[in-house]
Amino acid sequence: MDVQVFPDRAAAGRAAGAAAAAALRATLARQDTARVVFAAAPSQLATLAALRAAPGIDWSRVIAFHMDEYIGLAPDAPERFGRFLREQVGDLLRPRELHLISPGDDPEAECARYAELLAAAPIDLVCLGIGDNGHLAFNDPPVADFADPHPVKVVALDDACRRQQVGDGCFARLDDVPEHAVTLTVPALLAGRRLIATVPGAAKHDALHAALEGPVTTACPASALRGHPAAELYADLAAYGPCPQPQTAHR
């Protein structure tokens, strides 16, 4: 996996956004549409800002997808990832389509509906992050499955994941964080033709090094990225640790 390290999260985000923009331009040069899965998290804000500023992308030919969503929040709750993506992607970039996950009263039916949308054509790009516990999307260590037969599923969120949501400022208290969610599975994410991960902040340090240097195991779901043929990771010094800047740290 190509890992690049930058002085701060702004620089890492700019580089990740530039890489995502180049990937989209290349995709749209060879086919009619580009299908992209976006993570919804504070760690992605600099990447999305850089992507919005990038020239030469015909967003009217981009079909955007959602990576995960809480179960049990009100449709208009500010904490919903769907709201984040509407504000950061839908309203500002105006893609041709923005498909959001809406668990409602029947999350299992929503998993089936969303799986059909994903299966309609290959995913060209996945813009993602790594959780403080090493999760990918909401595939926390207790529920991650590298051979999951389902592209979308209902999961229970572990305590480390729920604490991260409080630490990120998304919820005021741990008790406010839902205990269940709908998520794309690890195989569904790795099915993307190109993966671009943005991983800033000291809270990611241990998970990042487990992903890069530890065994490939569901104890650190992000370690699965090392098996992808076109995965790139953009980290800041707080997440990676001291090293010359910017540079390719792993390849």
Side-chain angles (χ1 to χ4, degrees):
M1 181 165 54
D2 183 11
V3 179
Q4 298 188 36
V5 183
F6 294 84
D8 52 44
R9 70 170 53 214
R14 284 194 298 271
L24 282 174
R25 286 191 291 264
T27 299
L28 292 171
R30 66 175 183 265
Q31 62 193 52
D32 290 339
T33 60
R35 289 161 58 88
V36 187
V37 175
F38 289 102
S43 66
Q44 305 302 300
L45 287 170
T47 299
L48 290 172
L51 191 54
R52 289 195 297 269
I57 301 171
D58 183 354
W59 287 97
S60 71
R61 296 165 57 200
V62 174
I63 300 170
F65 293 88
H66 191 170
M67 191 172 289
D68 46 15
E69 184 59 275
Y70 298 108
I71 293 173
L73 291 181
D76 60 347
E79 300 88 355
R80 285 179 70 104
F81 290 155
R83 179 169 178 172
F84 178 100
L85 290 179
R86 279 196 302 273
E87 294 174 351
Q88 296 291 326
V89 175
D91 293 347
L92 298 177
L93 293 174
R94 300 290 183 182
R96 175 181 296 185
E97 301 170 16
L98 174 59
H99 295 291
L100 299 179
I101 300 169
S102 300
D105 295 328
D106 193 346
E108 295 291 352
E110 179 65 355
C111 290
R113 183 191 74 86
Y114 212 76
E116 288 187 7
L117 292 172
L118 292 171
I123 296 297
D124 298 295
L125 175 65
V126 180
C127 295
L128 70 159
I130 292 176
D132 295 0
N133 63 354
H135 71 214
L136 295 178
F138 271 146
N139 296 281
D140 291 328
V143 299
D145 182 350
F146 291 171
D148 205 308
H150 304 291
V152 188
K153 68 180 181 181
V154 173
V155 294
L157 304 180
D158 75 5
D159 286 345
C161 173
R162 295 175 67 236
R163 286 194 296 271
Q164 176 184 333
Q165 311 313 311
V166 178
D168 283 348
C170 300
F171 293 87
R173 304 177 306 146
L174 183 62
D175 287 347
D176 297 333
V177 183
E179 296 183 355
H180 294 86
V182 169
T183 187
L184 272 64
T185 61
V186 174
L189 296 171
L190 297 187
R193 288 171 168 159
R194 187 166 175 185
L195 310 184
I196 294 178
T198 310
V199 186
K204 311 288 185 183
H205 180 273
D206 291 350
L208 175 57
H209 280 273
L212 296 177
E213 300 164 0
V216 177
T217 169
T218 56
C220 179
S223 63
L225 295 174
R226 283 162 35 203
H228 193 279
E232 304 162 31
L233 191 147
Y234 297 81
D236 64 1
L237 287 175
Y240 188 83
C243 68
Q245 57 188 9
Q247 73 167 33
T248 297
H250 288 69
R251 188 175 291 277

